[in-house]
Amino acid sequence: GAGVSQSPRYKVTKRGQDVALRCDPISGHVSLYWYRQALGQGPEFLTYFNYEAQQDKSGLPNDRFSAERPEGSISTLTIQRTEQRDSAMYRCASSRSGRGRGAMNTEAFFGQGTRLTVV
Amino acid sequence: AQSVSQHNHHVILSEAASLELGCNYSYGGTVNLFWYVQYPGQHLQLLLKYFSGDPLVKGIKGFEAEFIKSKFSFNLRKPSVQWSDTAEYFCAVNAGNTGKLIFGQGTTLQVKP
């Protein structure tokens, strides 16, 4: 597609339920990033992939959070047993380059985000 | 750990006023620096970026930013703001040979017509 697409745009879920957030990156982009943004804060890194390989998951807050990108394109961020503190905007971004200096020098394109509310 | 600090959380200006938003980062090595903007109801968009070379970089819509290495700063400027510049602005840095971005907490700019 023309840009990074995230779905759903809005998700309201009850505490304790599992949710899956989807990201469809720009076609051909090697790297895919997930960020979380709390109200009044900047986006905070969660994890990223080069192709299908998860390169860094240091930002995932706990083991209820997981992500996958099985075919190196679409990615899913899953939150199990949601809690109210998980409420936030979840943002996905993709970029052309994967590793090394090339990764740093490449612009990341963001999707519209998924607004998750846990009630 | 790397961090980014934006000093102004909420700025209110009248049209035609000049704008300067502060951004400081902490990291001792080579960094790339970015300003992203989020207009109401839209996604984050790149405003401008610094990778190397001339420390004064120009972006879209008349914005510019100056990288001052000795001050670990990358302040955003615009000589004359417009009502359409009302948005949230984020400074970000990446380092360590990855595209992972560290963002500041953001500055909300409100321009009064």
Side-chain angles (χ1 to χ4, degrees):
Chain A
V4 178
S5 177
Q6 291 187 247
S7 60
R9 289 285 309 278
Y10 303 92
K11 177 70 177 179
V12 180
T13 191
K14 290 185 177 180
R15 190 175 50 187
Q17 297 292 307
D18 298 350
V19 294
L21 312 180
R22 173 187 162 118
C23 174
D24 192 350
I26 293 172
S27 178
H29 275 195
V30 170
S31 298
L32 184 148
Y33 305 84
W34 283 101
Y35 294 85
R36 179 171 70 171
Q37 186 176 5
L39 207 57
Q41 301 294 319
E44 190 178 26
F45 170 80
L46 294 176
T47 184
Y48 92 95
F49 295 81
N50 283 340
Y51 300 104
E52 73 283 357
Q54 191 170 22
Q55 299 292 323
D56 183 344
K57 55 181 182 178
S58 62
L60 295 177
N62 51 60
D63 61 8
R64 294 186 298 106
F65 288 74
S66 63
E68 62 175 10
R69 193 186 184 197
E71 296 178 0
S73 179
I74 292 169
S75 177
T76 303
L77 176 70
T78 301
I79 310 172
Q80 295 179 308
R81 305 180 303 281
T82 52
E83 301 177 6
Q84 284 188 318
R85 60 179 171 156
D86 299 333
S87 296
M89 174 72 84
Y90 288 82
R91 298 190 183 276
C92 175
S94 70
S95 67
R96 282 186 290 111
S97 279
R99 301 180 66 178
R101 190 73 192 168
M104 291 179 66
N105 291 357
T106 305
E107 176 183 350
F109 294 83
F110 284 82
Q112 296 268 32
T114 294
R115 169 76 65 190
L116 175 66
T117 303
V118 182
V119 297
Chain B
Q2 301 151 30
S3 66
V4 177
S5 178
Q6 292 182 239
H7 314 299
N8 320 97
H9 295 291
H10 198 162
V11 174
I12 301 173
L13 295 173
S14 297
E15 274 195 314
S18 65
L19 170 72
E20 180 159 2
L21 301 183
C23 173
N24 286 88
Y25 66 94
S26 66
Y27 183 72
T30 301
V31 294
N32 290 344
L33 297 153
F34 306 80
W35 276 96
Y36 279 85
V37 60
Q38 184 175 13
Y39 298 103
Q42 296 188 27
H43 57 278
L44 278 168
Q45 303 171 44
L46 183 67
L47 202 52
L48 48 77
K49 60 191 177 188
Y50 172 79
F51 289 161
S52 63
D54 188 346
L56 183 63
V57 292
K58 295 190 184 297
I60 60 172
K61 303 186 180 183
F63 285 91
E64 65 179 32
E66 185 175 12
F67 170 50
I68 303 179
K69 190 174 181 180
S70 61
K71 294 185 177 179
F72 297 89
S73 70
F74 190 55
N75 292 354
L76 181 71
R77 299 193 293 249
K78 185 171 183 178
S80 176
V81 294
Q82 300 173 311
W83 176 79
S84 59
D85 293 325
T86 294
E88 195 161 15
Y89 293 81
F90 294 94
C91 182
V93 61
N94 73 5
N97 279 350
T98 77
K100 179 170 86 173
L101 293 169
I102 308 297
F103 285 87
Q105 62 267 54
T107 298
T108 301
L109 171 65
Q110 184 182 351
V111 180
K112 294 182 175 179

